[in-house]
Amino acid sequence: MKKYILSLLISCVAFAQQTPAPKQTKSILITGGKAHIGNGKVIENSLISISNGKITTITDATNVRPEKHDIYIDASGKHIYPGFIAANATLGLVEIDAVKASNDENEMGQMNPHIRSIIAYNSESGLVEAARPNGVLVAQIAPRGGRISGTSSVVQLDAWNWEDAIVKENDGIHLSWPRSYSRSGWWAEPGGIEPNKKYDQQITEIQDFLNDANAYVASNPNVRDIPYEAMKGLDTGEKQLFVHVDGEKEIIDAILFKKKNNIKKMTLVGGYYAYKNVALLKENNVSVLLRRIHDLPLLEDEDVNLPYKNAKILYDAGIIVGLQNAGDMERMQIRNLPFYAGTCAAWGIDKEDALKLITSNTAKILGIDANYGTLETGKSATLFISEGDALDMRTNKVTNAFIDGRQISLESHQTELYDRYKEKYNAEK
């Protein structure tokens, strides 16, 4: 019995997340790497100085004699990138899909703006750990379910708990816009498309809820109503409205809803047919977090490559566009985020512009661009070094990663299995 308990404890320790890195106390100098700034610029032979969690210097290393540092990293022949940002993610909210008790991504009811996803965020999730070796170091933790799903927050992915992880708390409210149509059947045997007879009614319900919330805030009542109170800030820009919508008609209706209610900041999440409403998007300053790139078209008679081209169409039109990964197995797929950007580059967008889709553009959309998203003096030293092109799964191999100047572990359950079985097969040769 004692042996069984001991082996159980060992196995639990083996699969636990690595201890978060301590606060940076020693200065770091990275030299020789090709720095991809994240704003379209590149420094071929860079020098990056990091101190107290910030980038204190980034410049061309040619003919520069740096000051003395505590730690030196030679990145010659390697690439340096700002940490990738996963928007609209459910990392840390569900650990095992088949275990209901581990699922905290949604709440009962339809109108839940007061549900804060950050409270349920598990910073020790193995899936958080698995995202980091591909350069995903920051994420927006967003709720699911209902009409108004709740409020998201932005975190960095190396922390003891959700309080330590927070980069921006309560950054936006997530609204699932009604569909004007419904589909019958399932993916293997799709049925027909029928109009949603309750579409107008469902929009009215959203408008009524917002009207009631505005009236509540204006009246300064004695009795608190937490859901109504949570809607405060949409008119001032303190909170952003993330509208999950794909259809052309629905996108138009959502933007008209923004105008009618003086909502200062709005982002379309999904936005598959946003390219059909470019003028309206620009006129109303609406950004887009595109649906998963590695997917099929929504309609069978569309260009099969449209999901790959969508980002370029919007980018060329001057829309602030980023990528997100909602869908089947989304938490496991987060580590593929850089390769979605790589696919966009393969289908027409410039490689450095494709990088913006998961760095500077996403940082702007989430309102964290003052500190994250690019390699610039004064910003957070959240970055990584790769042996190859980080947007190419064949060559991306992250050797060092830093979050706020702290060098983090890149070990995961996957790397443990790799080392274990590599040793096994090497011994058998």
Side-chain angles (χ1 to χ4, degrees), residues 234-399:
L234 290 177
D235 57 337
T236 62
E238 179 184 349
K239 290 180 182 177
Q240 184 167 186
L241 185 63
F242 292 91
V243 182
H244 296 242
V245 60
D246 281 309
E248 181 180 1
K249 172 179 170 51
E250 291 89 335
I251 288 172
I252 294 172
D253 289 342
I255 295 174
L256 293 177
F257 177 81
K258 174 187 186 294
K259 292 180 66 175
K260 178 180 179 179
N261 294 285
N262 297 315
I263 295 172
K264 191 170 183 180
K265 295 181 181 178
M266 176 186 283
T267 294
L268 305 183
V269 182
Y272 184 79
Y273 289 112
Y275 72 91
K276 294 187 175 183
N277 298 295
V278 165
L280 196 59
L281 292 172
K282 293 181 71 173
E283 179 186 342
N284 292 278
N285 195 28
V286 176
S287 52
V288 180
L289 287 169
L290 274 175
R291 63 182 287 130
R292 185 181 293 175
I293 296 300
H294 291 177
D295 204 352
L296 293 172
L298 292 185
L299 298 176
E300 61 183 16
D301 59 348
E302 290 178 336
D303 180 358
V304 71
N305 298 314
L306 180 57
Y308 311 146
K309 301 174 181 177
N310 222 335
K312 176 176 171 54
I313 296 170
L314 292 174
Y315 183 85
D316 288 348
I319 305 299
I320 298 177
V321 57
L323 303 182
Q324 54 94 37
N325 183 56
D328 293 339
M329 300 183 68
E330 61 182 84
R331 289 163 294 282
M332 299 78 165
Q333 296 268 16
I334 283 292
R335 59 189 178 189
N336 291 326
L337 184 67
F339 311 135
Y340 298 159
T343 298
C344 293
W347 285 88
I349 193 169
D350 179 80
K351 180 63 73 73
E352 297 305 320
D353 290 334
L355 179 63
K356 295 179 185 179
L357 304 178
I358 53 175
T359 55
S360 58
N361 278 15
T362 304
K364 289 176 185 176
I365 290 170
L366 302 184
I368 59 171
D369 52 309
N371 287 306
Y372 297 89
T374 55
L375 301 176
E376 296 181 82
T377 301
K379 287 193 174 184
S380 168
T382 298
L383 54 91
F384 67 91
I385 304 171
S386 174
E387 290 186 357
D389 181 353
L391 304 190
D392 183 354
M393 67 175 66
R394 297 170 300 177
T395 61
N396 185 26
K397 184 177 181 181
V398 178
T399 58

